[in-house]
Amino acid sequence: MAISNTTTAPLSLHEDVAVRLRELIYSGELPPGAFVDEPALCERLAISRTPLREALKVLTAEGLMRHEPRRGCFVNQVTERDLDEIFPVIALLEGRCAFEAASRVNDADLRVLDGMHQRLRDCAAAGQIAAYYEANHVIHEAIIQLADNRWLAQVIADLRKILRLSRQQSLQVPGRLEQSLSEHMAVFAALQARDNCGAEAAMRTHLLRQREALRELSRQQPRSLMP
């Protein structure tokens, strides 16, 4: 499956509300542990209670919210234990994506990936952290698309939503930017060689080292995550 742009069907009202709520969560306007004030949100989003409550059910199922009987909904919190449990799983899943992508990648795909990795190198050289994160995300998405396995893609997307709750950035750790770039280039080299096992191992290493960097960041900033 070649790397390409995809279009999506129009969202229903409650799906659109769910998207807007995720944006509020990821931007920090609804921080971890925050109580969801339904009347205030209805007024802010200019919607009725019904689509809001349907959206809250969606986010609760995704793990972004939790519902407490007789109290209401709260934004979930990600703990160190959560990160310890999630990263090995997502490393396995994205590793498998890299394995499958190495079987399917063609020369045209590699040219597209080469441009993406050049962008990654440029961002790293300039020390542009935010742009590097974006370029990194684009590469991960391209590899998932190349794997062409909707079940892997779906589970990875769900886990990524949870990981974003931590609001920690591993590239804040000294030396991590250069390490991350090296890891990405190892994945790309394996894809160029159509080396399934090499691509899988390199991607797993990349994700697990990201967890190590976050653990180091947590030690430096012990209050950045809830216990």
Side-chain angles (χ1 to χ4, degrees), residues 177-212:
L177 178 62
E178 294 77 15
Q179 184 186 55
S180 174
L181 177 62
S182 176
E183 292 159 11
H184 264 291
M185 298 312 298
V187 174
F188 184 40
L191 291 173
Q192 289 175 305
R194 274 76 167 183
D195 178 0
N196 306 68
C197 293
E200 181 176 27
M203 182 61 81
R204 289 177 64 179
T205 295
H206 174 54
L207 271 296
L208 292 175
R209 285 183 178 169
Q210 183 179 340
R211 173 62 188 124
E212 292 172 7

Short mmCIF file of all heavy atoms in Angstrom, two decimals, residues 177-212:
data_model
loop_
_atom_site.label_atom_id
_atom_site.label_comp_id
_atom_site.label_asym_id
_atom_site.label_seq_id
_atom_site.Cartn_x
_atom_site.Cartn_y
_atom_site.Cartn_z
N LEU A 177 17.43 14.12 21.51
CA LEU A 177 17.13 14.50 20.14
C LEU A 177 18.04 13.76 19.17
O LEU A 177 17.58 13.16 18.19
CB LEU A 177 17.29 16.01 19.97
CG LEU A 177 17.05 16.57 18.56
CD1 LEU A 177 15.62 16.30 18.10
CD2 LEU A 177 17.33 18.07 18.53
N GLU A 178 19.33 13.76 19.45
CA GLU A 178 20.29 13.09 18.58
C GLU A 178 20.07 11.57 18.59
O GLU A 178 20.17 10.91 17.55
CB GLU A 178 21.71 13.42 19.02
CG GLU A 178 22.11 14.88 18.85
CD GLU A 178 21.52 15.79 19.94
OE1 GLU A 178 21.04 15.26 20.98
OE2 GLU A 178 21.55 17.02 19.75
N GLN A 179 19.76 11.05 19.78
CA GLN A 179 19.51 9.61 19.90
C GLN A 179 18.28 9.21 19.09
O GLN A 179 18.28 8.20 18.38
CB GLN A 179 19.33 9.23 21.37
CG GLN A 179 19.16 7.74 21.61
CD GLN A 179 18.84 7.44 23.07
OE1 GLN A 179 17.88 7.96 23.63
NE2 GLN A 179 19.64 6.58 23.68
N SER A 180 17.21 10.01 19.21
CA SER A 180 15.98 9.73 18.49
C SER A 180 16.22 9.73 16.98
O SER A 180 15.72 8.86 16.25
CB SER A 180 14.91 10.77 18.85
OG SER A 180 13.75 10.60 18.06
N LEU A 181 16.97 10.72 16.50
CA LEU A 181 17.26 10.79 15.07
C LEU A 181 18.02 9.54 14.61
O LEU A 181 17.70 8.95 13.57
CB LEU A 181 18.08 12.05 14.76
CG LEU A 181 18.51 12.20 13.30
CD1 LEU A 181 17.30 12.30 12.38
CD2 LEU A 181 19.41 13.44 13.14
N SER A 182 19.01 9.12 15.40
CA SER A 182 19.78 7.93 15.06
C SER A 182 18.89 6.70 14.99
O SER A 182 19.03 5.85 14.09
CB SER A 182 20.89 7.72 16.09
OG SER A 182 21.60 6.52 15.84
N GLU A 183 17.95 6.60 15.92
CA GLU A 183 17.02 5.47 15.94
C GLU A 183 16.13 5.46 14.70
O GLU A 183 15.88 4.41 14.10
CB GLU A 183 16.17 5.52 17.21
CG GLU A 183 16.97 5.27 18.49
CD GLU A 183 16.29 5.82 19.73
OE1 GLU A 183 15.09 6.22 19.64
OE2 GLU A 183 16.93 5.86 20.79
N HIS A 184 15.65 6.64 14.32
CA HIS A 184 14.81 6.73 13.13
C HIS A 184 15.58 6.34 11.88
O HIS A 184 15.04 5.65 10.99
CB HIS A 184 14.26 8.15 12.97
CG HIS A 184 12.89 8.32 13.53
ND1 HIS A 184 11.77 7.73 12.96
CD2 HIS A 184 12.43 9.00 14.61
CE1 HIS A 184 10.70 8.05 13.66
NE2 HIS A 184 11.07 8.81 14.67
N MET A 185 16.82 6.76 11.79
CA MET A 185 17.62 6.42 10.62
C MET A 185 17.89 4.92 10.55
O MET A 185 17.99 4.35 9.46
CB MET A 185 18.93 7.21 10.63
CG MET A 185 18.75 8.74 10.57
SD MET A 185 17.59 9.31 9.27
CE MET A 185 18.42 8.73 7.79
N ALA A 186 17.98 4.27 11.73
CA ALA A 186 18.16 2.82 11.75
C ALA A 186 16.92 2.11 11.21
O ALA A 186 17.02 1.13 10.47
CB ALA A 186 18.48 2.35 13.17
N VAL A 187 15.74 2.62 11.60
CA VAL A 187 14.50 2.05 11.06
C VAL A 187 14.45 2.24 9.55
O VAL A 187 14.13 1.30 8.80
CB VAL A 187 13.26 2.71 11.72
CG1 VAL A 187 11.98 2.20 11.06
CG2 VAL A 187 13.22 2.43 13.21
N PHE A 188 14.79 3.43 9.10
CA PHE A 188 14.73 3.73 7.66
C PHE A 188 15.71 2.86 6.88
O PHE A 188 15.39 2.34 5.80
CB PHE A 188 15.02 5.21 7.43
CG PHE A 188 14.88 5.65 5.99
CD1 PHE A 188 13.86 5.17 5.19
CD2 PHE A 188 15.78 6.55 5.44
CE1 PHE A 188 13.72 5.58 3.86
CE2 PHE A 188 15.67 6.96 4.12
CZ PHE A 188 14.63 6.47 3.33
N ALA A 189 16.91 2.66 7.43
CA ALA A 189 17.90 1.82 6.74
C ALA A 189 17.38 0.39 6.59
O ALA A 189 17.59 -0.25 5.54
CB ALA A 189 19.21 1.83 7.52
N ALA A 190 16.71 -0.10 7.63
CA ALA A 190 16.15 -1.45 7.55
C ALA A 190 15.02 -1.52 6.52
O ALA A 190 14.89 -2.52 5.79
CB ALA A 190 15.64 -1.89 8.93
N LEU A 191 14.21 -0.47 6.44
CA LEU A 191 13.16 -0.44 5.43
C LEU A 191 13.76 -0.42 4.02
O LEU A 191 13.28 -1.10 3.11
CB LEU A 191 12.26 0.77 5.63
CG LEU A 191 11.36 0.78 6.87
CD1 LEU A 191 10.67 2.12 7.01
CD2 LEU A 191 10.32 -0.34 6.78
N GLN A 192 14.82 0.36 3.83
CA GLN A 192 15.48 0.41 2.53
C GLN A 192 16.03 -0.95 2.13
O GLN A 192 16.02 -1.31 0.94
CB GLN A 192 16.62 1.44 2.57
CG GLN A 192 16.16 2.89 2.64
CD GLN A 192 17.32 3.85 2.80
OE1 GLN A 192 18.12 3.72 3.73
NE2 GLN A 192 17.42 4.81 1.90
N ALA A 193 16.50 -1.70 3.14
CA ALA A 193 17.05 -3.04 2.88
C ALA A 193 15.98 -4.12 2.81
O ALA A 193 16.29 -5.29 2.60
CB ALA A 193 18.07 -3.38 3.96
N ARG A 194 14.71 -3.71 3.01
CA ARG A 194 13.59 -4.67 3.09
C ARG A 194 13.88 -5.73 4.16
O ARG A 194 13.56 -6.92 4.01
CB ARG A 194 13.33 -5.36 1.77
CG ARG A 194 12.41 -4.60 0.81
CD ARG A 194 13.08 -3.43 0.13
NE ARG A 194 12.25 -2.93 -0.99
CZ ARG A 194 12.63 -1.95 -1.80
NH1 ARG A 194 13.81 -1.36 -1.66
NH2 ARG A 194 11.81 -1.53 -2.77
N ASP A 195 14.51 -5.30 5.24
CA ASP A 195 14.89 -6.18 6.34
C ASP A 195 13.78 -6.17 7.38
O ASP A 195 13.74 -5.30 8.27
CB ASP A 195 16.22 -5.69 6.94
CG ASP A 195 16.68 -6.51 8.13
OD1 ASP A 195 15.99 -7.48 8.51
OD2 ASP A 195 17.74 -6.18 8.69
N ASN A 196 12.87 -7.13 7.30
CA ASN A 196 11.71 -7.17 8.19
C ASN A 196 12.10 -7.17 9.66
O ASN A 196 11.63 -6.35 10.45
CB ASN A 196 10.86 -8.42 7.92
CG ASN A 196 10.46 -8.57 6.49
OD1 ASN A 196 11.30 -8.80 5.62
ND2 ASN A 196 9.16 -8.46 6.21
N CYS A 197 12.94 -8.13 10.02
CA CYS A 197 13.31 -8.29 11.43
C CYS A 197 14.13 -7.09 11.92
O CYS A 197 13.98 -6.66 13.07
CB CYS A 197 14.09 -9.58 11.62
SG CYS A 197 13.10 -11.07 11.33
N GLY A 198 14.98 -6.56 11.05
CA GLY A 198 15.77 -5.39 11.43
C GLY A 198 14.90 -4.17 11.67
O GLY A 198 15.12 -3.41 12.62
N ALA A 199 13.91 -3.97 10.81
CA ALA A 199 12.99 -2.84 10.96
C ALA A 199 12.19 -2.98 12.24
O ALA A 199 11.98 -2.02 12.98
CB ALA A 199 12.05 -2.75 9.76
N GLU A 200 11.72 -4.20 12.52
CA GLU A 200 10.95 -4.44 13.73
C GLU A 200 11.78 -4.16 14.98
O GLU A 200 11.33 -3.47 15.90
CB GLU A 200 10.45 -5.89 13.76
CG GLU A 200 9.62 -6.24 14.98
CD GLU A 200 9.06 -7.64 14.92
OE1 GLU A 200 9.69 -8.51 14.26
OE2 GLU A 200 8.00 -7.89 15.52
N ALA A 201 13.00 -4.68 15.01
CA ALA A 201 13.86 -4.49 16.17
C ALA A 201 14.22 -3.02 16.36
O ALA A 201 14.24 -2.52 17.49
CB ALA A 201 15.13 -5.32 16.02
N ALA A 202 14.49 -2.32 15.27
CA ALA A 202 14.87 -0.91 15.37
C ALA A 202 13.70 -0.07 15.88
O ALA A 202 13.90 0.85 16.68
CB ALA A 202 15.35 -0.40 14.01
N MET A 203 12.49 -0.37 15.42
CA MET A 203 11.33 0.39 15.89
C MET A 203 11.05 0.11 17.36
O MET A 203 10.73 1.03 18.13
CB MET A 203 10.11 0.06 15.04
CG MET A 203 8.85 0.84 15.43
SD MET A 203 9.05 2.65 15.26
CE MET A 203 8.78 2.82 13.48
N ARG A 204 11.16 -1.15 17.77
CA ARG A 204 10.94 -1.47 19.18
C ARG A 204 11.96 -0.76 20.05
O ARG A 204 11.62 -0.22 21.11
CB ARG A 204 11.01 -2.98 19.38
CG ARG A 204 9.82 -3.73 18.79
CD ARG A 204 9.95 -5.23 18.95
NE ARG A 204 9.96 -5.64 20.36
CZ ARG A 204 10.06 -6.90 20.76
NH1 ARG A 204 10.15 -7.88 19.86
NH2 ARG A 204 10.06 -7.20 22.04
N THR A 205 13.21 -0.75 19.61
CA THR A 205 14.25 -0.04 20.36
C THR A 205 13.92 1.44 20.48
O THR A 205 14.07 2.04 21.55
CB THR A 205 15.62 -0.22 19.67
OG1 THR A 205 15.99 -1.60 19.73
CG2 THR A 205 16.70 0.62 20.36
N HIS A 206 13.46 2.03 19.40
CA HIS A 206 13.11 3.45 19.38
C HIS A 206 12.04 3.77 20.42
O HIS A 206 12.18 4.73 21.19
CB HIS A 206 12.61 3.83 17.98
CG HIS A 206 12.10 5.22 17.86
ND1 HIS A 206 12.82 6.33 18.22
CD2 HIS A 206 10.89 5.68 17.41
CE1 HIS A 206 12.10 7.42 18.01
NE2 HIS A 206 10.92 7.06 17.53
N LEU A 207 10.99 2.97 20.48
CA LEU A 207 9.89 3.23 21.42
C LEU A 207 10.32 2.98 22.86
O LEU A 207 9.96 3.74 23.78
CB LEU A 207 8.68 2.37 21.07
CG LEU A 207 7.66 2.95 20.08
CD1 LEU A 207 7.00 4.19 20.66
CD2 LEU A 207 8.25 3.25 18.73
N LEU A 208 11.09 1.93 23.10
CA LEU A 208 11.50 1.61 24.46
C LEU A 208 12.50 2.65 24.99
O LEU A 208 12.49 2.98 26.18
CB LEU A 208 12.10 0.21 24.52
CG LEU A 208 11.09 -0.92 24.27
CD1 LEU A 208 11.80 -2.27 24.23
CD2 LEU A 208 9.99 -0.92 25.33
N ARG A 209 13.33 3.18 24.12
CA ARG A 209 14.25 4.23 24.55
C ARG A 209 13.51 5.53 24.84
O ARG A 209 13.93 6.33 25.67
CB ARG A 209 15.34 4.45 23.50
CG ARG A 209 16.39 3.34 23.52
CD ARG A 209 17.51 3.60 22.54
NE ARG A 209 18.51 2.54 22.61
CZ ARG A 209 19.50 2.41 21.72
NH1 ARG A 209 19.58 3.27 20.70
NH2 ARG A 209 20.37 1.43 21.84
N GLN A 210 12.39 5.73 24.14
CA GLN A 210 11.55 6.89 24.46
C GLN A 210 11.03 6.78 25.89
O GLN A 210 11.00 7.75 26.63
CB GLN A 210 10.39 6.99 23.48
CG GLN A 210 9.51 8.22 23.70
CD GLN A 210 8.39 8.32 22.70
OE1 GLN A 210 8.44 7.71 21.62
NE2 GLN A 210 7.35 9.06 23.04
N ARG A 211 10.63 5.56 26.28
CA ARG A 211 10.17 5.37 27.66
C ARG A 211 11.30 5.62 28.64
O ARG A 211 11.08 6.24 29.69
CB ARG A 211 9.62 3.93 27.83
CG ARG A 211 9.27 3.59 29.28
CD ARG A 211 8.18 4.51 29.81
NE ARG A 211 7.94 4.36 31.23
CZ ARG A 211 8.00 5.36 32.10
NH1 ARG A 211 8.34 6.59 31.70
NH2 ARG A 211 7.73 5.16 33.37
N GLU A 212 12.50 5.17 28.32
CA GLU A 212 13.64 5.41 29.20
C GLU A 212 13.88 6.91 29.37
O GLU A 212 14.18 7.38 30.47
CB GLU A 212 14.89 4.74 28.63
CG GLU A 212 14.84 3.22 28.65
CD GLU A 212 16.00 2.59 27.91
OE1 GLU A 212 16.92 3.35 27.49
OE2 GLU A 212 16.01 1.36 27.74
#
